[in-house]
Amino acid sequence: MDRNTFTGLFLIMIVLAGSFYFFGPSQTEITKEKERIAADSLKKVNAATKTTAPSIAAATPAVDSATLSGPFGGSITGTPQTTVLENENLKLTLTNKGGKILSVQVKGVKTYNGNPVILFDGDQNKFGLKMNINGKTLNTDDLYFTPTVADNKVSMRATYQGDKYIEYTYDLKPKSNNVAFNISLNGLNQVIQTDSISLNWSATLLEQEKSAKKEKEHSAPFYKYTNASPDHLSVAKDQTEELKKGKVEWFSFKQQFFSAVLISKDGFESGRLAITDSTKPGEIKRYDADMKMHFGQSASQSYAMDFYFGTNKFDRLKAQGHEIEKLVDMGYWPLKYINRFIVLPVFKFLEGFGWNYGLIILILTILLKLAMSPLTYKSYISMAKMRILKPEMDEIKAKVGEDNPTLLQQEYLKLYKQVGVNPLGGCLPMLLQLPFVMAFFFFFPNLFELRGESFLWMKDLSTYDDFIKFGVTIPFIGDHLSLMCVLMTISTLIYTYFNNQISGATGQMKYIGYIMPIIFLGVLNSYPSGLNYYYFLANMLTFAQQFLIKSMVDDEKIHRTLQENKTKPAETKKKSKFQSRLDDYMRSQQQAATQAKKK
């Protein structure tokens, strides 16, 4: 404890002690109050005796604390006690203070440090109803409930008076991650003065993964309106969102690989969600939810809900229904469709063989490269044509000069037209492959299956491998160096070198390709080793593809074909869409040049 904290606590103790001494009731006042309570109790007992006519002794037990202390009198004070609900998947600790779930442990998984996965725990977790009773706001999180346990079901009841009460029921089925939750309000229509009540839930989610920074980047509250797609708050900043566009079907406190979801059978009328970043060690973010529920005039009213506590495994979330699987970020359009309907099914198919996940990623990469091989071949041929044409392009450049770039470009276009070459032919196939490359950028960091899975020196494919630890934070790099990220960067630099040899790139374009891998080193150094491993494999397989294609392609034959195209009459050449656009462009350029000369 530091000096300032100690001084503050000492002053607070002095203030509290002074308050008790100077403002507390005197001994005379205390004695009078006790006598008054005893007299009131005796009157009530005598009245009960006259009505039932057994005896004073028989009537004495009928006096309850609610009658003596007012509404919820028996629930205002108490001693915190806990009750455990447990099955093969979950361990729930419930407390009579607020009648809520105090903590949730997800079984069968561990934190990165090997500890049990506790989603939330302790007094920082608030849960209860907020309602207006007789003109005063009551929060049930402050009441003490009476628990009843039977057949892995717990009922928590707080009595207002007589047969008027609030009851929570928690039902945990075997081998389930779902907790059926029901709220019953009996007889409170006579005292609740509004047509709605609020359900408040606040929780501080605890750190589970190796990198708290990356875990925060994948953590946010989600929600879903009825007949709408799920949405979420910001993962990068504190935010409060008012949910007033319709009924809220469910909301979720989501972390990178785990979630707590509350689904309402009838939907919440409206609500508010908030997220606050936590700077305390071991904590990720603070989530707050305030959901409005309709309150009618019937004597007995209930609200059926369902909790889900567990992993963000796509299949398990999908089994919940309500589009909860969209908690798993598959990327933007069209990346999410590539991941969901192509990459994920192939991955799950390979997973069925029981192979190591490093081997699964290898096979997945090979299959993707085979599917993309026609585009790779077309890109190679196009770049080879441009390389073979480079000597002729250099001659044109020497003849025209660099002072007239428009004329130089026109001469280049004439050459392309004569030989039948599309200068963009090498880029377009690569652009078509780009969505698949980017799709994996979202797929691997959000794939629960990789969590805790090791391969080679990588202990966990879902996070970075800190092969070298610096002990200090270095700008751009961080506090470590990932070996797989380094290998990926080296392979990308080598790929760029050979790609320049194929395409014949010169000038600035030749060096720009070397800058990007260095930038990616800083960006991807803290990303999952499984992602860097995939990019490394993709580069190595591309080398193999290009080597194979090079052995199949004859540059002399391509050169002869290009020269033969020059001798063919223009009318015999079948025009491509690019050549048609090229002709249109050249005509427009010539017309512009002619008009410029006339002026």
Side-chain angles (χ1 to χ4, degrees):
M1 182 182 295
D2 61 83
R3 183 178 179 182
N4 291 334
T5 303
F6 177 80
T7 303
L9 291 175
F10 181 72
L11 292 174
I12 290 171
M13 292 174 62
I14 292 176
V15 171
L16 291 175
S19 298
F20 281 119
Y21 179 78
F22 290 107
F23 300 107
S26 64
Q27 185 62 40
T28 303
E29 292 172 333
I30 294 173
T31 302
K32 288 182 178 180
E33 182 64 18
K34 287 182 178 180
E35 291 174 352
R36 184 189 66 79
I37 292 174
D40 289 344
S41 300
L42 183 59
K43 289 180 181 179
K44 294 180 185 298
V45 170
N46 290 334
T49 304
K50 292 177 182 179
T51 303
T52 56
S55 65
I56 294 178
T60 302
V63 181
D64 57 22
S65 58
T67 303
L68 296 177
S69 304
F72 290 111
S75 301
I76 293 175
T77 61
T79 302
Q81 297 176 349
T82 58
T83 305
V84 174
L85 268 182
E86 190 171 6
N87 66 3
E88 296 83 354
N89 297 345
L90 296 174
K91 180 180 180 181
L92 309 178
T93 301
L94 288 79
T95 175
N96 64 331
K97 176 66 185 304
K100 65 192 176 188
I101 300 175
L102 185 67
S103 70
V104 175
Q105 177 186 342
V106 181
K107 292 184 176 182
V109 288
K110 299 288 185 181
T111 67
Y112 184 81
N113 296 322
N115 299 319
V117 172
I118 308 294
L119 299 187
F120 52 82
D121 189 17
D123 294 334
Q124 290 180 317
N125 173 41
K126 305 292 184 182
F127 186 91
L129 297 177
K130 187 180 290 185
M131 56 188 73
N132 187 314
I133 295 183
N134 295 328
K136 296 182 180 179
T137 300
L138 173 76
N139 191 337
T140 62
D141 191 63
D142 299 325
L143 300 179
Y144 286 85
F145 287 63
T146 301
T148 302
V149 183
D151 297 329
N152 222 31
K153 180 188 294 186
V154 175
S155 296
M156 295 280 188
R157 178 177 292 192
T159 301
Y160 172 84
Q161 196 174 43
D163 61 350
K164 300 179 179 67
Y165 59 83
I166 299 172
E167 187 173 59
Y168 299 156
T169 303
Y170 301 90
D171 188 4
L172 178 62
K173 301 298 182 184
K175 300 180 180 180
S176 176
N177 286 84
N178 296 87
V179 182
F181 175 59
N182 191 76
I183 301 174
S184 295
L185 305 179
N186 193 69
L188 297 183
N189 59 310
Q190 300 174 13
V191 294
I192 295 179
Q193 301 173 344
T194 58
D195 60 357
S196 67
I197 59 176
S198 297
L199 175 67
N200 301 120
W201 186 14
S202 301
T204 299
L205 273 66
L206 305 179
E207 184 178 348
Q208 315 293 345
E209 313 305 327
K210 181 178 183 178
S211 171
K213 180 176 180 294
K214 285 299 174 185
E215 191 171 0
K216 289 181 179 182
E217 291 176 1
H218 294 86
S219 300
F222 276 66
Y223 61 91
K224 181 185 181 300
Y225 289 114
T226 304
N227 300 323
S229 296
D231 203 349
H232 62 86
L233 273 62
S234 173
V235 298
K237 62 181 180 181
D238 296 351
Q239 184 183 359
T240 299
E241 182 84 10
E242 297 293 337
L243 309 180
K244 297 181 178 180
K245 296 180 181 179
K247 281 198 171 186
V248 180
E249 193 172 323
W250 57 263
F251 67 93
S252 169
F253 293 167
K254 176 190 177 291
Q255 292 181 251
Q256 183 175 7
F257 291 119
F258 300 93
S259 286
V261 186
L262 182 57
I263 308 164
S264 173
K265 298 295 176 64
D266 297 322
F268 302 103
E269 296 296 317
S270 62
R272 178 182 58 82
L273 282 174
I275 181 173
T276 308
D277 190 17
S278 178
T279 57
K280 294 182 180 178
E283 297 180 357
I284 298 299
K285 292 181 178 180
R286 173 79 177 177
Y287 294 167
D288 294 280
D290 185 357
M291 296 293 164
K292 299 290 184 183
M293 301 186 298
H294 175 71
F295 183 79
Q297 293 301 314
S298 60
S300 179
Q301 299 185 51
S302 63
Y303 304 89
M305 304 181 196
D306 202 29
F307 282 106
Y308 169 81
F309 299 115
T311 66
N312 291 336
K313 197 170 183 179
F314 188 88
D315 291 345
R316 183 166 292 180
L317 293 176
K318 188 177 180 181
Q320 300 296 317
H322 307 280
E323 297 185 88
I324 294 178
E325 71 275 8
K326 291 187 178 179
L327 290 176
V328 182
D329 186 8
M330 291 288 184
Y332 305 102
W333 185 92
L335 307 183
K336 61 182 178 181
Y337 298 107
I338 293 174
N339 278 329
R340 181 165 181 176
F341 299 111
I342 299 177
V343 179
L344 185 61
V346 174
F347 183 91
K348 299 302 292 184
F349 172 76
L350 297 175
E351 188 182 30
F353 291 99
W355 296 334
N356 179 277
Y357 282 93
L359 181 59
I360 290 176
I361 295 175
L362 171 61
I363 302 301
L364 182 65
T365 310
I366 292 174
L367 292 175
L368 178 63
K369 282 297 180 181
L370 288 175
M372 295 290 149
S373 56
L375 293 175
T376 304
Y377 178 81
K378 188 174 182 179
S379 177
Y380 183 93
I381 295 298
S382 296
M383 288 189 294
K385 289 179 180 179
M386 293 298 296
R387 185 187 71 249
I388 293 170
L389 281 178
K390 189 175 183 305
E392 296 185 47
M393 295 174 67
D394 290 342
E395 291 179 4
I396 293 173
K397 187 175 182 180
K399 181 179 178 181
V400 175
E402 299 183 15
D403 297 334
N404 193 342
T406 302
L407 180 59
L408 179 63
Q409 189 64 27
Q410 288 179 359
E411 293 300 321
Y412 281 163
L413 293 176
K414 287 181 181 179
L415 177 62
Y416 298 151
K417 181 182 178 182
Q418 289 174 353
V419 298
V421 169
N422 183 351
L424 299 178
C427 299
L428 291 177
M430 294 178 65
L431 289 175
L432 292 174
Q433 296 182 59
L434 188 59
F436 286 87
V437 175
M438 295 179 62
F440 282 97
F441 187 81
F442 291 91
F443 184 74
F444 286 113
N446 294 287
L447 188 65
F448 178 84
E449 284 80 353
L450 296 184
R451 187 180 184 274
E453 297 294 335
S454 62
F455 182 66
L456 300 177
W457 66 88
M458 297 170 284
K459 296 180 180 179
D460 190 339
L461 291 170
S462 70
T463 187
Y464 57 84
D465 62 299
D466 45 357
F467 190 77
I468 299 177
K469 298 180 181 179
F470 301 133
V472 295
T473 300
I474 299 176
F476 182 69
I477 294 294
D479 61 355
H480 69 278
L481 195 60
S482 168
L483 178 58
M484 185 51 72
C485 188
V486 171
L487 293 176
M488 182 275 297
T489 302
I490 294 173
S491 66
T492 306
L493 290 171
I494 297 173
Y495 169 76
T496 302
Y497 171 79
F498 282 108
N499 200 51
N500 286 341
Q501 300 302 310
I502 296 172
S503 63
T506 58
Q508 293 182 347
M509 293 301 298
K510 181 178 181 180
Y511 298 102
I512 288 176
Y514 294 109
I515 297 175
M516 295 306 296
I518 303 301
I519 295 176
F520 286 147
L521 174 64
V523 173
L524 297 177
N525 188 50
S526 295
Y527 271 75
S529 54
L531 177 65
N532 286 312
Y533 173 55
Y534 160 73
Y535 286 144
F536 170 75
L537 290 175
N539 286 336
M540 300 305 295
L541 290 173
T542 301
F543 295 155
Q545 281 183 322
Q546 290 185 349
F547 178 80
L548 182 61
I549 293 172
K550 186 176 181 180
S551 65
M552 297 166 56
V553 174
D554 186 352
D555 285 2
E556 291 296 329
K557 184 178 179 180
I558 294 176
H559 184 266
R560 286 195 302 269
T561 302
L562 296 179
Q563 298 306 314
E564 289 173 1
N565 288 341
K566 287 183 179 181
T567 62
K568 292 181 180 179
E571 58 271 12
T572 63
K573 297 178 182 178
K574 183 179 179 181
K575 288 187 178 182
S576 65
K577 291 183 179 180
F578 170 78
Q579 289 172 330
S580 298
R581 294 195 203 98
L582 186 58
D583 289 343
D584 294 339
Y585 176 77
M586 291 181 64
R587 279 194 295 270
S588 64
Q589 289 293 314
Q590 290 174 354
Q591 290 173 1
T594 302
Q595 291 176 358
K597 287 180 180 179
K598 289 180 179 180
K599 293 180 180 180

